[in-house]
């Protein structure tokens, strides 16, 4: 086992005032009694208050912790805290305002989100929200309390693992296939629209280097051990390709295209035994066939990708990424091929828990994309082509790298929290381990169906 | 003698669900004051005072022909939803539930305002379950209903400890909450002849007068646990895990470890305190039994409760606890909790209590030991409807925590973990903040809430034709789930 993996986080404040949940409103009859400033607000919102001319907002919006004490104590009842409509409009139904602002906070502080007073969210939901992770009270000797947590291993290997090893006189006879390790089960990628901003690219690359992670990049010129080079399927990549780690990224799982590409890679990989050559396939109903075919042809790294909200590309009943991945994982297991391949998946990975849940559904690792932009204050408005409201084009790369590092630091700690509670010491052991998770459907059937009959939907 | 007494908000400006606005063109005629049954409008001298909006009954009244809005000759009045109210609450504890709990704590009654007092808006579990009240009146008067619950059914020679209502207060440690809050909870437990629990932070002297109504908690950090604190009480609770952060230990921030807290916990002021997970001495049911035996040996009169959270095999844990000798098995579901916890844990780890209760109840019955053990549920139970549902699903009683804190005017801003703690002085040991209310005020607020809970629970049981709360356990036929179609029998 490798040594302890540690991410150095450092506070890195936002450049723009984050969109706050509440707006601070004052009716104009202030008595000047300073009750609010001197006594009520224990968070010094009034004493530290400024008007931010660039964004035209009151710092009280962002600093306020919504305890409502000033509202309830104001001597002339002129203070109001009201929901900020701009907050409610952040993101979309999948990338909710709560998720986006939490990503901003994690990127600013590097700390895992902690709060008091119990859980406040919906009972369950779509996508990743219809499952819970398990834990056990007692009889879990793998746990060492908080002292053991630091030794929970979050590393994964990318590449082919040999089925069995052959020895003679203590000497290994087999040629070991190439493999790369990533200390986190997370690979970094930028959504296509953001790839044109060089500072953003630099920030991601810089963070990847520091954290020893892999980052996808479109047909880069020079080799870099942290870069997973990406080519369009028709690109003419020969055996002299400078990269050791590259993939061909398909835009469709059409069987004919799949067959042609698989044959090409087969030839190529015979001439490049040192390289790890992968394929990316969009998630569609026929993706499973494509994956099985690629695996049969000896391709050892497969990345499947969903849309930005984690949905399959399909007009009718698009499945969510975790269901699609689970089906592929099971097909690989049933045909005895699961260990021949590293299965990566991305699209809609917005929270640390999504990484753990995706892995429990059968992926080896997750690809993080839009969340990286959120670390850079992106508002997920998806207007990148027009005008970025947080001016990502003129961002400072070093600032961005620290924000991304902070977010990954927070995610790393959160993965350790859930793994710890599950009693797992290695994230590799979580892969496809649905014994450590519970699904909404199953619990409803087991616990409610005997009482209430049949579910209506 | 304890009784309901109005105990209003300690803040100058109460928050109501509605805002009543009087426009400039008011003729000062006083008609509104005459028509409003709730005292929103009043005259001071010959001028109308600012409307006391928090008393307003709501939009339906405002639309009614005899309401102030239509009665005002100058058409100067309007009633709207208060924007501050809209900023309050969340899916579990909606703004309605927070204000409703505040109202009950202030008056001992359910609010008359238009609001949802029974369910939250989480969209699943208890929030989608409804109570099926029979259409015919049962003829039972609520006064006849017996709410008592015996916590020892083992018949093991230890005392039978009977509480007067099937509700007691959950563990909140000194350090996570103020001493005033603790003392008020204990006094309330005595008033209702039930229990409150120390949590994992020792046994402050302020609790000594209430020994008979305090549960000593023994948790993994063993903070403040001494033989003497085990011997003081009638019930000892092992906290194996807590719903809010199952599978994780406890954590008290350094800022909250004041000198007094440190003395109680036998630690150093200003240093953060961790309790590990799990008990490092317990890796099997046999180890668990050794624990239980230890407590039973130290205090030969005490009952033992095992507080566990809800993993997939929660029913096995329950059976194990029974064979280890526990009198009470306390399931703490994942959505409650008052202290600070990582959000990833609160949201994801372990199953909701809504599922765990009936699963455990059925399994204990199959094993033939259901009659021998008391099953207590907690973790996100907010209202009497929640309590009724939990018992009908199979619990014998419930533990509440957050509802008590909300009665003291917590509005779930979730800042309890930070810096000096709660700006409302509830979850804080900062001397200045903890002095924001007196133990008398807090006691009366809790007393009122319990009075409202007890009256409502009696009413529901009577309506269902039950004379004892113990008859409700497992009566799932009294429940329906809005997303299910019950098969025709
Ligand atoms: S609501 Fe609380 S935190 Fe916000 S400004 Fe008022 S007193 Fe300060
Ligand atoms: S009834 Fe109308 S006009 Fe008369 S006092 Fe009330 S608000 Fe003013
Ligand atoms: S709407 Fe009804 S309750 Fe509200 S202020 Fe008018 S009369 Fe009173
Ligand atoms: S800090 Fe906020 S959530 Fe915590 S106890 Fe105080 S009011 Fe309640």
């Amino acid at each position: 086992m490798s040594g302890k993996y540690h991410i150095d986080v450092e506070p890195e404040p936002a450049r723009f005032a984050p969109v706050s949940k509440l707006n601070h409103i004052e009716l104009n009859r202030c008595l000047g009694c300073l009750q609010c400033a001197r006594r009520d607000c224990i968070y010094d919102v009034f004493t530290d208050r400024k008007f931010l001319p660039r964004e035209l907002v009151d710092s009280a919006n962002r600093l306020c912790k919504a305890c409502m004490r000033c509202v309830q104590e104001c001597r002339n009842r002129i203070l109001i805290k009201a929901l900020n409509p701009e907050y409610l409009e952040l993101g979309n139904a999948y990338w909710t305002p709560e998720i986006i602002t939490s990503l901003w906070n994690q990127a600013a502080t590097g700390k895992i989100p902690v709060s008091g007073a119990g859980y406040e969210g919906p009972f369950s939901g779509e996508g990743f929200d219809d499952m819970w992770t398990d834990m056990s009270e007692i009889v879990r000797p793998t746990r060492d309390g908080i002292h053991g947590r630091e030794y929970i291993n979050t590393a994964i290997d990318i590449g082919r693992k040999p089925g069995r090893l052959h020895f003679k006189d203590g000497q290994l006879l087999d040629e070991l296939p190439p493999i790369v390790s990533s200390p986190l089960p997370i690979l970094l990628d930028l959504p296509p629209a953001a790839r044109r901003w060089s500072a953003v690219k630099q920030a991601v690359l810089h963070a990847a280097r520091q954290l020893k992670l892999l980052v996808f990049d479109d047909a880069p010129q020079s080799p870099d051990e942290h870069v997973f080079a990406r080519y369009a399927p028709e690109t003419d990549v020969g055996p002299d390709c400078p990269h050791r780690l590259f993939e061909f990224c398909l835009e469709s799982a059409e069987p004919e295209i799949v067959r042609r590409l698989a044959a090409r890679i087969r030839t190529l990989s015979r001439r490049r035994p040192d390289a790890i050559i992968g394929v990316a396939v969009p998630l569609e109903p026929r993706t499973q066939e494509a994956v099985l075919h690629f695996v049969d042809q000896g391709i050892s790294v497969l990345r499947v990708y969903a849309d930005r909200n984690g949905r399959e590309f399909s007009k009718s009943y698009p499945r969510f990424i975790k269901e699609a991945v689970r089906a592929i994982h099971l097909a690989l297991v049933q045909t005895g091929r699961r260990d021949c391949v590293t299965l990566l998946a991305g699209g809609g990975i917005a929270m640390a828990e999504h990484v753990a849940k995706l892995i429990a559904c059968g992926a080896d690792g997750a690809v993080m994309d839009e969340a990286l932009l959120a670390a850079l204050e992106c508002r997920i408005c998806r207007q990148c082509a027009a005008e970025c409201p947080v001016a990502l084009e003129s961002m400072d790369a070093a600032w961005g790298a620290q924000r991304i590092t902070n977010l990954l630091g927070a995610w790393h700690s959160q993965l350790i929290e859930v793994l710890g509670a599950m009693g797992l010491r290695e994230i590799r052991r979580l892969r496809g381990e649905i014994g450590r998770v519970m699904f909404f459907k199953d619990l409803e059937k087991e616990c409610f169906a005997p009482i209430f009959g049949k579910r209506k939907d | 003698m304890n009784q309901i007494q109005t105990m209003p908000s300690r803040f100058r400006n109460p928050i109501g669900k509605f805002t009543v606005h009087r426009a400039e063109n008011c003729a000062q005629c006083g008609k509104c004051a005459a028509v409003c049954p709730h005292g929103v409008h009043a005259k001071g001298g010959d001028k109308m005072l600012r409307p006391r909006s928090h008393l307003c009954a709501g939009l339906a009244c405002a639309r009614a022909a005899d309401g102030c809005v239509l009665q005002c000759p100058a058409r100067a009045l309007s009633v709207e939803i208060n924007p501050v109210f809209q900023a309050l609450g969340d899916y579990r504890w909606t703004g309605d539930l927070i204000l409703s709990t505040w109202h009950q704590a202030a008056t001992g009654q359910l609010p008359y305002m238009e609001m949802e007092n029974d369910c939250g808006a989480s969209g699943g579990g208890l929030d989608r379950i409804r109570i099926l009240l029979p259409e015919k009146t049962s003829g039972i008067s609520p006064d006849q209903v017996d709410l008592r619950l015996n916590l020892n059914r083992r018949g093991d020679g230890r005392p039978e400890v009977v509480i007067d209502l099937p509700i007691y207060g959950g563990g909140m440690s000194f350090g996570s909450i103020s001493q005033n809050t603790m003392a008020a909870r204990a006094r309330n437990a005595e008033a209702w002849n039930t229990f409150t629990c120390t949590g994992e932070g020792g046994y402050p002297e302020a609790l000594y007068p209430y020994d008979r109504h305090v549960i000593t908690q023994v948790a993994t950090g063993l903070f403040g646990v001494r033989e003497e604190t085990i011997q003081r009480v009638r019930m000892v609770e092992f906290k194996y895990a807590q719903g809010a952060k199952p599978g994780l230990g406890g954590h008290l921030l350094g800022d909250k470890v004041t000198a007094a807290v440190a003395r109680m916990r036998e630690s150093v002021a200003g240093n953060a305190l961790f309790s590990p997970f799990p008990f490092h001495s317990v890796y099997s049911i046999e180890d668990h039994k050794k624990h239980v035996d230890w407590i039973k040996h130290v205090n030969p009169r005490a009952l033992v409760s095992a507080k566990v959270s809800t993993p997939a095999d929660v029913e096995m844990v329950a059976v194990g606890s029974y064979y280890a000798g526990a009198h009470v098995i306390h399931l703490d579901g994942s959505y409650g909790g008052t202290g600070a916890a990582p959000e990833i844990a609160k949201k994801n780890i372990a199953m909701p209590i809504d599922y765990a209760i009936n699963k455990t109840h059925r399994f204990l019955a199959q094993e033939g030991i259901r009659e021998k053990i008391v099953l207590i549920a907690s973790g996100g139970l907010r209202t009497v409807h929640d309590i009724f549902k939990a018992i009908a699903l199979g619990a014998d009683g419930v533990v509440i925590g957050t509802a008590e804190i909300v009665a003291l005017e917590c509005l779930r801003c979730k800042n309890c973990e930070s810096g000096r703690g709660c700006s409302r002085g509830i979850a804080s040991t900062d001397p200045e903040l903890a002095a924001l209310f007196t133990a008398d005020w807090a006691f009366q607020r809790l007393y009122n809430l319990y009075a409202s809970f007890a009256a409502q629970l009696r009413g529901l049981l009577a309506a269902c034709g039950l004379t004892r709360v113990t008859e409700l356990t497992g009566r799932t036929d009294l429940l329906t789930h809005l997303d299910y179609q019950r098969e025709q029998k």
Side-chain angles (χ1 to χ4, degrees), chain B residues 136-157:
Chain B
K136 281 204 311 262
T137 48
S138 65
I140 294 171
S141 134
D143 306 336
Q144 290 168 267
V145 175
D146 181 355
L147 294 181
R148 282 178 307 166
L149 179 66
N150 174 10
L151 296 175
N152 182 5
R153 294 184 181 156
R154 289 190 81 93
D156 60 352

Side-chain angles (χ1 to χ4, degrees), chain B residues 183 186-187 190 203-214 232:
Chain B
R187 203 172 131 199
E190 181 184 53
Y203 202 116
E205 277 154 41
L207 297 187
Y208 288 0
Y210 310 106
D211 283 343
R212 285 180 60 73
H213 301 282
V214 174
R232 294 195 87 85

Side-chain angles (χ1 to χ4, degrees), chain A residues 116, chain B residues 173-178 251-262 265 267-273 338-340 415-422 426-430 433:
Chain B
S173 62
F174 178 54
S176 77
I177 56 172
S178 69
H251 181 189
L252 190 67
L253 289 176
D255 285 338
K256 281 188 152 192
V257 185
T258 59
V261 172
R265 297 192 179 212
S267 66
V268 179
N271 276 14
L273 296 178
T338 45
N415 299 319
C416 344
E417 41 68 48
S418 60
R420 291 160 73 195
C422 170
I426 306 157
S428 180
T429 45
D430 181 289
L433 294 171

